[in-house]
Amino acid sequence: MSHEISPTVPADSSVQRSMPELSEEEAETYAWQLDVRDFGVAGQARLKASSVLISRVGGIGSVVAYELAAAGVGHLILAHAGAIQRSDLNRQLLMTAARIGSSRVDCAASRLQEFNPRLRITAIPENVGPENAERLVGLADCIVDAAPLFQERLAMNDAAAAQGKPVVEAAMFELEATLTVIHPPKTPGFRDLVADVPPGWQRRFPVFGAVSGAVGCLAALEAIKILSGFAQPLYNKLLRIDLRAMRVETIQLRPDCPGAENDTGSPSPLRR
Amino acid sequence: MADSSPITLELTGALERVIGRSHVTLHCSQEQPATELFRRLLHEYPALKLYLGRHDGDDSERFSWPRGFLLVRDSQMLPSSPDTIVYPGDRLTLIQMISGGVA
C-alpha cells in the first residue's frame, strides 16, 4: 500500500521525456544553484524530470531526501516500514517527537511536502526486499540505498542491475562512512563487492546523527550529479570517510571497469 | 618489501569495535594468499569469527573470503579471489561496506 502526494511529473523512467520548463517560482527558488558551473537551467530541468527511490528514510535516507527535495528533484519514492521510535530521533531528521508511534514514511513525506510543495512524493510503508524490489526500482531513475541489512541491499541492487539503473550506496558505522555508485558495466556490480551476507550481522550499530547527515549529504550530491549529468560521480570508486581522524580516502575498485573514463562528466540516465 | 616484515591490517567498523583495536600485525615471512592471512587473523582474534567466519563455523581449511568487506592495499581494492596474494610489509585495510554489525 502506498499513497501519493502532489503528482506533477510522470514516474515511468522508461518513457521518452522532454525536459520540463522551469516556472518563475522554480527559477527563483533554485537561483543560487543555477549558477553552479556545468549545471545551469538544463541540469535543473533534468532534476525536475527525475525520480529517486530512497530505501529507508532513516539516518542517512532522511538527509538524502531532504537534500533532494531542496535541490528540486521532481519525484521522490520513499520506502521505509515501521513506526517512529524515540531512539530514531538522534539521527532521523524527518521524524518528530510528536509523532512517535506513527508511520515513519508518512511523517517523512509530510515534512518534505511542507518544505517543498512542488515535490511529488510516493510514500511506501515497506522496506525493500526480494518481493518488491523490481516494482519499487521500476518507479525511479536512480536509487539511493541507505538500508542497514544486506538482504535489502542485495535485492535492490539485483533489481537495479536488471533494469540498468544507478544505485548510490551509502553506509556508516560509528564515525566512519562509505559511499560509492553502482552502475555496471562502468562499475562493479554490488555482488562483485558483497557476494553474500556475513554471519552474525546485526542491524543496530553505534552512530551519531552528524555522521549519517554527513554521508547523507554526499549521497544526495551523487544522485544530483548522476541525474543532471554533470561533474564526476563515484563510478568505480569508493569514498571512505573516517570522521574520528577526519580522513577521506578514495579507493579504486576494479581496474577492469571503465568508470574512470567518466571523470570528465557523465550523461544523465534520463532519456531525452 | 623486506622479507619477514609483518603485514599491518587496519580494521574498520564493526571489526575494530569487536577487538578494540584499529590495527593488527600478522607475521609474514613470504608472499601468501590473502585467504591464508584471513585464516590466521581468525586464529589470533577468534572474536572476529562472528563477522568474518563461515556460516558453518569452519574457518580451518575451506575458509575463503570475508563477506561484506573489501580488502584494500594502497587505495586499490584487491580482488576477492583465492588467487589474491599479499606480501611481507603490506599495509592492508578491511573496509565494511554496509551499515550495521555490532551494537
Side-chain angles (χ1 to χ4, degrees):
Chain A
M1 180 75 72
S2 66
H3 64 269
E4 300 240 345
I5 304 174
S6 298
T8 56
V9 289
D12 184 355
S13 63
S14 67
V15 173
Q16 183 91 13
R17 278 177 262 172
S18 58
M19 290 300 113
E21 299 286 327
L22 299 183
S23 67
E24 284 187 24
E25 178 186 302
E26 288 167 334
E28 183 179 352
T29 301
Y30 305 117
W32 286 44
Q33 68 195 42
L34 290 175
D35 291 336
V36 171
R37 181 166 52 89
D38 298 333
F39 180 73
V41 172
Q44 192 66 55
R46 291 189 194 106
L47 287 187
K48 181 178 178 180
S50 66
S51 52
V52 179
L53 167 64
I54 302 172
S55 171
R56 298 218 189 196
V57 282
I60 294 174
S62 61
V63 174
V64 171
Y66 221 146
E67 292 291 354
L68 295 183
V73 168
H75 181 196
L76 294 182
I77 301 109
L78 314 175
H80 198 156
I84 300 170
Q85 301 177 28
R86 188 168 298 281
S87 60
D88 295 341
L89 299 178
N90 83 317
R91 65 197 182 283
Q92 299 190 17
L93 300 188
L94 291 177
M95 310 306 160
T96 66
R99 294 179 69 161
I100 287 173
S102 64
S103 162
R104 287 189 178 105
V105 76
D106 285 348
C107 186
S110 65
R111 295 281 307 279
L112 291 168
Q113 201 70 80
E114 185 179 4
F115 179 62
N116 181 352
R118 296 174 304 280
L119 177 64
R120 177 186 178 189
I121 302 171
T122 303
I124 298 169
E126 305 168 24
N127 295 325
V128 178
E131 70 289 346
N132 64 5
E134 181 180 356
R135 171 173 56 89
L136 297 183
V137 166
L139 297 173
D141 300 309
C142 175
I143 297 94
V144 179
D145 183 1
L149 296 177
F150 280 84
Q151 292 85 348
E152 292 174 71
R153 295 201 183 226
L154 288 166
M156 190 158 42
N157 272 278
D158 288 348
Q163 297 180 32
K165 295 181 177 175
V167 182
V168 179
E169 281 289 332
M172 61 184 174
F173 185 98
E174 205 187 58
L175 271 71
E176 299 174 13
T178 59
L179 182 68
T180 190
V181 177
I182 303 293
H183 198 191
K186 53 180 170 267
T187 77
F190 188 70
R191 283 189 183 272
D192 294 328
L193 306 179
V194 178
D196 201 356
V197 179
W201 201 251
Q202 295 183 25
R203 178 181 164 276
R204 183 170 168 174
F205 54 95
V207 73
F208 282 109
V211 176
S212 51
V215 70
C217 284
L218 295 174
L221 188 58
E222 287 303 291
I224 290 167
K225 289 192 288 186
I226 292 166
L227 291 165
S228 57
F230 89 114
Q232 298 93 42
L234 281 165
Y235 291 138
N236 203 24
K237 294 173 182 173
L238 179 131
L239 195 69
R240 178 194 172 205
I241 306 161
D242 176 358
L243 293 169
R244 187 177 292 274
M246 297 306 272
R247 286 188 305 165
V248 177
E249 179 183 14
T250 304
I251 294 162
Q252 185 73 39
L253 297 177
R254 284 180 32 186
D256 55 335
C257 287
E261 293 174 6
N262 292 280
D263 273 356
T264 54
S266 59
S268 165
L270 298 183
R271 292 166 173 81
R272 46 185 178 270
Chain B
M1 288 171 281
D3 285 348
S4 300
S5 297
I7 287 176
T8 302
L9 181 61
E10 182 181 6
L11 301 173
T12 66
L15 303 183
E16 177 182 355
R17 189 172 178 91
V18 165
I19 66 167
R21 298 171 59 181
S22 63
H23 293 76
V24 300
T25 55
L26 297 164
H27 175 72
C28 181
S29 60
Q30 59 187 5
E31 64 183 56
Q32 60 187 254
T35 49
E36 169 62 14
L37 185 77
F38 294 138
R39 192 192 64 77
R40 290 173 45 214
L41 176 68
L42 294 192
H43 179 74
E44 295 193 24
Y45 300 94
L48 294 175
K49 287 182 181 177
L50 184 62
Y51 300 102
L52 298 180
R54 294 171 53 88
H55 287 283
D56 58 12
D58 178 1
D59 56 39
S60 56
E61 297 300 325
R62 294 181 294 132
F63 177 77
S64 54
W65 200 272
R67 299 172 177 87
F69 292 86
L70 305 183
L71 183 64
V72 171
R73 177 174 57 210
D74 298 331
S75 297
Q76 303 267 341
M77 185 186 91
L78 298 180
S80 306
S81 160
D83 298 329
T84 292
I85 300 296
V86 296
Y87 300 91
D90 269 356
R91 298 184 67 85
L92 307 170
T93 307
L94 265 178
I95 295 179
Q96 174 178 326
M97 277 290 293
I98 306 281
S99 300
V102 60

